[in-house]
């Protein structure tokens, strides 16, 4: 596995992976172009294996709070610790940027993502009832405090 910065040449592959892992609300290529154009505040990393991009994740930086924009692992690579290594990479990048907190939003029905975030030290901050429509699914806002943590 190789962890590296997102490049514009990854966009087509990322859009295809989005359709695989977020079939309801995949980011299409124009969204990825906009995210890349948002640098340096937007900060994305990808993990590559012998088949190509196996996972990716990104942050919005620049203030006391770093927001997780997205995180995903290709179906073929899930359950092997890649999500955890991506979230750890984001924590390190947020800390380097001076963020005191990391915030994210996750669907209440996404057990895998909630398990990952809890393991990575995020705590439930608040719940937005029936935020995701259709389906009446709650949004869970989770936070990890970086201030005072030793790297
Ligand atoms: C959520 C996701 C990124 C996790 O990535 P992953 O590489 O499979 O996760 P890891 O192997 O690193 O697992 C880390 C922890 O997450 C939790 N976890 C992972 N898969 C899980 C599952 N299916 N059910 C419950 N918990 C799960 C566990 O706590 C796990 O720790 P453990 O293995 O010590 O029990 C991946 O499932 C994914 O891409 N899902 C589709 C996209 C998505 O939902 N993204 C998040 C949007 S908020």
């Amino acid at each position: 596995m190789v962890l590296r910065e997102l490049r514009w040449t990854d966009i087509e592959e990322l859009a295809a992976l989005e359709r695989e892992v977020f079939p309801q609300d995949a980011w299409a290529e124009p969204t990825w172009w906009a995210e890349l154009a948002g640098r340096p505040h937007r900060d994305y990393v990808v993990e590559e294996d012998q088949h190509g991009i196996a996972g990716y994740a990104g942050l919005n930086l620049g203030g006391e709070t770093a927001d997780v924009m997205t995180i995903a692992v290709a179906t073929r690579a899930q359950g092997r610790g890649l999500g955890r290594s991506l979230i750890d990479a984001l924590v390190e990048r947020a800390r380097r940027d001076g963020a005191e907190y990391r915030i994210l939003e996750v669907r209440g029905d996404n057990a895998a993502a909630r398990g990952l975030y809890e393991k990575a030290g995020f705590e439930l901050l608040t719940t937005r009832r029936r935020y995701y429509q259709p389906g009446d699914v709650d949004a869970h806002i989770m936070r990890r405090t970086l201030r005072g943590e030793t790297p």
Side-chain angles (χ1 to χ4, degrees):
M1 287 287 179
V2 178
L3 183 80
R4 63 165 172 80
E5 304 271 329
L6 170 66
R7 300 193 280 254
W8 70 266
T9 45
D10 298 324
I11 285 179
E12 198 180 334
E13 200 175 344
L14 286 177
L17 270 175
E18 281 272 319
R19 291 191 293 276
E20 174 189 311
V21 292
F22 298 111
Q24 319 266 316
D25 45 9
W27 287 4
E29 291 189 22
T31 304
W32 281 110
W33 282 109
E35 290 299 301
L36 261 184
R39 282 175 173 164
H41 291 303
R42 295 290 211 264
D43 183 30
Y44 282 86
V45 291
V46 304
E47 287 257 19
E48 265 183 321
D49 63 13
Q50 70 273 27
H51 305 293
I53 296 176
Y56 52 94
L59 287 172
N60 186 57
L61 296 169
E64 77 164 358
T65 299
D67 296 299
V68 177
M69 301 301 296
T70 190
I71 178 165
V73 172
T75 319
R76 64 178 158 79
Q78 287 179 5
R80 292 197 240 134
L82 190 51
R84 184 59 199 268
S85 85
L86 283 164
I87 207 97
D88 289 347
L90 293 191
V91 165
E92 200 36 54
R93 294 167 89 90
R95 202 198 308 276
R96 247 189 280 146
D97 194 66
E100 298 192 11
Y101 302 101
R102 278 192 50 201
I103 296 269
L104 57 80
E105 180 188 293
V106 59
R107 289 176 63 106
D109 62 359
N110 191 341
R114 288 174 54 198
L116 169 67
Y117 300 142
E118 278 162 20
K119 237 183 192 151
F122 285 79
E123 291 169 351
L124 182 64
L125 194 59
T126 186
T127 299
R128 291 184 186 146
R129 298 277 170 218
R130 299 188 292 279
Y131 181 79
Y132 294 101
Q133 296 294 337
D136 282 346
V137 179
D138 294 345
H140 291 204
I141 314 300
M142 301 181 79
R143 181 173 79 174
R144 173 166 162 183
T145 304
L146 305 177
R147 186 181 48 205
E149 285 183 1
T150 17

